Amino acid sequence: MTSSIPALGTLTAEGSSLQAVLLDMDGTLVDTEGFWWDAESEAFAELGHVLKDEWREVVVGGPMTRSAGFLIEATEADITVEELTVLLNQKFIERLRRGVQLVPGARRLLAELSLHGVPTALVSASHREVVDEMLVSLGREYFDLTVAGDELTRTKPHPDPYLTAAARLGADPARCAVIEDTVTGVASAEAAGCRVVAVPSVAPIEAAEGRTVVESLEEVNLAFLRSMVLMAHQSVS
């Protein structure tokens, strides 16, 4: 399901009901989901194991500890979760330093949100060192705050990351628009009570109540996000 984008001129004053935009990072703003799989494949090859392609959908979008734990159990590799986490972060950051591409529409959307003064947060399951490295490409100036996976006791798919971001921005989660690319991230945002735009990267995501699925960020602008939140509140009023 692909939703049409309302023109900026069609907005009413009620469109200001959008209080903040919260964005995932890997696969949503930057084309890096393949980087993680390459890093995981390389790490396990060094340990003498070959990862199965079907495991990719299991680990995508999840917290590092969950993904690492699953792959260790699946391969029976002789390494701890803590050791593997350090190794994967190192290999991933090595790839980031070679250059990273923003997904189509990401730079334009971030610039538009910044231009209109919309409070914006980067909410990632990746660790702080990865988030900070990625901000070099994304532009730290576009975000009022960032939330990293290793800064919370519980990360995605739990609601904590998005509840934390909304609270720090002083926003009502129900008036926040979240942009995500994985089932895990969508589950986290919806559990927090946010309205979600899903832009699937690796695995498909179905449309559902309170959730809009699009094919690309090029289909999303500020008018679209305001309209989505406004319509959600009109439907329950």
Side-chain angles (χ1 to χ4, degrees):
M1 172 183 176
T2 300
S3 298
S4 60
I5 305 173
L8 276 170
T10 66
L11 289 179
T12 67
E14 293 176 287
S16 63
S17 62
L18 174 69
Q19 294 182 349
V21 177
L22 317 177
L23 304 106
D24 174 56
M25 184 176 72
D26 293 301
T28 299
L29 293 176
V30 283
D31 188 13
T32 52
E33 290 295 4
F35 284 21
W36 280 115
W37 184 246
D38 290 345
E40 290 159 348
S41 297
E42 181 181 327
F44 278 91
E46 292 174 0
L47 295 169
H49 299 275
V50 177
L51 301 186
K52 296 181 180 179
D53 288 340
E54 58 262 34
W55 293 343
R56 185 174 179 179
E57 288 191 15
V58 179
V59 300
V60 67
M64 177 74 73
T65 51
R66 189 196 73 181
S67 299
F70 169 82
L71 292 173
I72 290 171
E73 183 177 354
T75 60
E76 299 183 346
D78 184 19
I79 190 171
T80 66
V81 169
E82 292 75 16
E83 291 169 338
L84 181 58
T85 295
V86 171
L87 182 60
L88 291 179
N89 277 330
Q90 289 175 343
K91 291 184 176 299
F92 185 75
I93 289 174
E94 287 172 6
R95 285 164 170 76
L96 293 185
R97 289 174 177 165
R98 297 172 200 160
V100 60
Q101 292 292 321
L102 272 65
V103 303
R107 180 71 69 196
R108 185 265 312 154
L109 178 59
L110 291 174
E112 182 182 15
L113 296 175
S114 177
L115 177 65
H116 290 274
V118 179
T120 304
L122 186 67
V123 183
S124 178
S126 293
H127 288 192
R128 171 52 60 186
E129 61 179 327
V130 172
V131 171
D132 285 344
E133 187 68 36
M134 198 81 78
L135 285 170
V136 175
S137 298
L138 281 171
R140 189 180 298 272
E141 68 274 13
Y142 291 119
F143 304 98
D144 294 282
L145 66 91
T146 61
V147 178
D150 58 339
E151 295 171 340
L152 302 173
T153 301
R154 300 191 309 174
T155 187
K156 303 174 187 179
H158 298 286
D160 306 37
Y162 285 109
L163 289 175
T164 298
R168 290 179 181 173
L169 290 175
D172 175 0
R175 294 188 181 274
C176 292
V178 169
I179 304 178
E180 272 281 358
D181 73 307
T182 67
V183 172
T184 299
V186 167
S188 173
E190 291 181 344
C194 303
R195 296 293 162 174
V196 178
V197 178
V199 192
S201 57
V202 175
I205 300 173
E206 298 296 324
E209 184 177 354
R211 178 195 312 165
T212 302
V213 181
V214 299
E215 294 180 1
S216 166
L217 273 188
E218 292 184 306
E219 299 179 50
V220 182
N221 61 16
L222 178 54
F224 178 98
L225 299 174
R226 282 175 169 166
S227 178
M228 183 180 70
V229 172
L230 176 60
M231 288 188 293
H233 282 275
Q234 286 178 335
S235 67
V236 297
S237 61

